[in-house]
Amino acid sequence: MGTTTAERPGGYEHRGFDAFSALCPSRRLLDTIGDKWVSLAIVALGLRGPLRYSELASQIEGVSQKMLTQSLRKMERDGLLTRTVTPSVPVRTDYELTPLGQTLLPVIGHLKTWAEEHMPEVDAARTAYDSRV
């Protein structure tokens, strides 16, 4: 008899979803959340509130228009942000985290902070690795 999700070690499975399983739909969500542009957009929107597209693009240096647009569409599709279009001249489009998207802010915010704080150690490890290889 096979092992059920509830019987698997680790205790990380939830409500029948198991991201370790190749067929689990939560993997697609992890693909979105794990994208660097999505992660940075979540933090930017979480810290600054609703932003226009141009404000978000200037906040996240190096993101291309194509990548930011794709990232925002993925986030909207997954219910992580809302896109509000205000008819004006020119048309105004604002992006804001949904309550669901806001639940990611502590997790991704800590990950961003961790990366910034531990970059010297990572750089040292990379240098040591590169000198061995």
Side-chain angles (χ1 to χ4, degrees):
M1 190 157 135
T3 303
T4 66
T5 300
E7 296 169 337
R8 290 192 182 166
Y12 293 107
E13 300 83 18
H14 189 67
R15 296 184 186 171
F17 293 101
D18 179 3
F20 290 118
S21 171
L23 300 177
C24 186
S26 64
R27 280 203 181 179
R28 289 189 305 275
L29 180 57
L30 288 173
D31 283 341
T32 297
I33 296 167
D35 178 272
K36 69 180 171 184
W37 304 123
V38 169
S39 297
L40 291 172
I42 288 171
V43 175
L45 290 168
L47 294 176
R48 291 168 180 78
L51 293 173
R52 295 176 78 169
Y53 183 94
S54 60
E55 294 170 325
L56 196 51
S58 66
Q59 187 68 42
I60 305 171
E61 293 180 15
V63 66
S64 69
Q65 182 177 0
K66 176 184 175 183
M67 291 310 299
L68 182 56
T69 298
Q70 287 177 355
S71 298
L72 293 171
R73 285 182 182 156
K74 285 184 205 175
M75 293 170 67
E76 185 178 12
R77 182 172 187 257
D78 287 343
L80 304 178
L81 67 75
T82 56
R83 180 176 161 266
T84 305
V85 178
T86 304
S88 60
V89 179
V91 174
R92 179 183 174 110
T93 305
D94 292 288
Y95 297 89
E96 182 175 14
L97 290 178
T98 63
L100 179 62
Q102 289 173 357
T103 65
L104 284 168
L105 185 59
V107 177
I108 294 176
H110 285 298
L111 186 59
K112 176 187 172 287
T113 301
W114 182 92
E116 293 165 348
E117 289 175 356
H118 292 278
M119 205 56 233
E121 295 161 84
V122 172
D123 277 339
R126 288 176 178 172
T127 299
Y129 177 88
D130 291 345
S131 69
R132 290 190 313 266
V133 175

